[in-house]
Amino acid sequence: MKRILDPRTKLLLLVLAALYIGLPLHFTTELLLILIYILPLFIAGFYRWSLLFLSVYLVQTLAAIYLLPDVNNPFFIFLFSFLVHGLRVLLPSIIAGSYSMKTTTVSEWIAAFKKLRLPNALLIPLAVMARFFPTIKEDYRHIRKALAFRGIGTNFWDLVKHPLQTLEFILIPLLMNATQVAEDLTVSSLTKGLSLPGTHTSIVQLKMSLFDWFYLGFAFLPLGFYLGGVGS
């Protein structure tokens, strides 16, 4: 059975992921952390993404053990250290962010922010930001379709071979449109009454389930192991 965590649980997972970046976790605790963050993706039915993130972590771990010690060139030491250590530390945040974006609508994010009683000065920018990137992504798709209709290549190699054309036909329209998109989304948020005081109603009803509370406790396990010195 597919289960989706509450948006507030996802926010806490993101906060915890940022906290775990600065903790020198033991390998077993780190492996447990990765599995904890991959499990919601798997339960939600994103099996390919779950296997992809797990494979990336295993490759990074094996490279850190067997490949990195044999590298002598300073440049490649820096490059491989970033790939196998730096990105590995960031992997829980990447997984949590991917899961949150794939399983949460903008309306659910706004409802979660309201439930958390965030002030309007923070709620409105977050509401605009939540809608900004999907809108820009949709504009990018429209630009690529328009270029393809005019016979202008838009695949990866065409972009590499003609970077100036890419700048002129894709990046400049996106940047010019971004300001207008931000203004339109701000006006849209204000017309929906986000800036008004008092209690607001929402068509999205959020409720923390037993599954959410259980998973929150599960997500604190690596932190408890670290503070308790387990595996050190």
Side-chain angles (χ1 to χ4, degrees):
M1 181 180 178
K2 296 181 180 180
R3 298 291 299 270
I4 304 296
L5 294 171
D6 187 271
R8 289 164 290 180
T9 306
K10 299 171 190 176
L11 286 173
L12 185 55
L13 287 177
L14 287 168
V15 173
L16 284 174
L19 174 64
Y20 287 132
I21 290 176
L23 300 181
L25 301 178
H26 188 266
F27 172 72
T28 54
T29 306
E30 182 184 83
L31 178 60
L32 174 63
L33 175 64
I34 295 297
L35 294 177
I36 288 173
Y37 274 77
I38 288 179
L39 187 58
L41 267 175
F42 188 83
I43 295 175
F46 296 98
Y47 306 118
R48 291 185 179 179
W49 282 96
S50 304
L51 293 176
L52 174 63
F53 283 126
L54 184 59
S55 300
V56 168
Y57 176 74
L58 293 177
V59 169
Q60 289 173 325
T61 302
L62 293 175
I65 297 174
Y66 297 105
L67 180 61
L68 190 58
D70 296 328
V71 178
N72 297 319
N73 186 285
F75 173 76
F76 287 107
I77 290 176
F78 171 79
L79 178 62
F80 282 116
S81 296
F82 173 74
L83 293 175
V84 303
H85 290 302
L87 289 183
R88 195 173 77 190
V89 171
L90 293 174
L91 195 57
S93 298
I94 297 173
I95 297 172
S98 300
Y99 172 72
S100 300
M101 295 301 295
K102 288 179 177 296
T103 60
T104 314
T105 64
V106 176
S107 299
E108 289 174 335
W109 280 125
I110 295 176
F113 297 151
K114 289 181 179 178
K115 284 282 187 179
L116 295 173
R117 302 184 184 278
L118 296 182
N120 290 334
L122 187 59
L123 175 60
I124 295 175
L126 288 175
V128 172
M129 184 178 65
R131 288 190 171 94
F132 180 80
F133 293 105
T135 305
I136 290 297
K137 183 179 180 180
E138 190 65 26
D139 290 342
Y140 172 70
R141 289 177 180 175
H142 291 324
I143 291 173
R144 291 194 62 176
K145 288 180 180 179
L147 292 178
F149 181 76
R150 290 167 173 79
I152 301 174
T154 57
N155 59 46
F156 176 76
W157 292 114
D158 288 327
L159 300 182
V160 171
K161 289 186 295 184
H162 306 288
L164 294 180
Q165 180 175 293
T166 302
L167 179 65
E168 180 181 358
F169 293 150
I170 297 181
L171 292 183
I172 291 179
L174 276 179
L175 292 175
M176 292 180 64
N177 195 40
T179 303
Q180 186 62 43
V181 168
E183 292 179 0
D184 292 343
L185 292 176
T186 303
V187 172
S188 175
S189 298
L190 293 175
T191 55
K192 291 178 180 178
L194 289 182
S195 61
L196 296 177
T199 303
H200 297 176
T201 59
S202 176
I203 195 172
V204 179
Q205 299 298 320
L206 301 179
K207 183 179 180 181
M208 294 284 288
S209 65
L210 184 61
F211 176 66
D212 287 288
W213 291 112
F214 171 79
Y215 211 85
L216 283 178
F218 200 38
F220 276 97
L221 279 179
L223 180 60
F225 290 157
Y226 171 77
L227 296 177
V230 177
S232 59

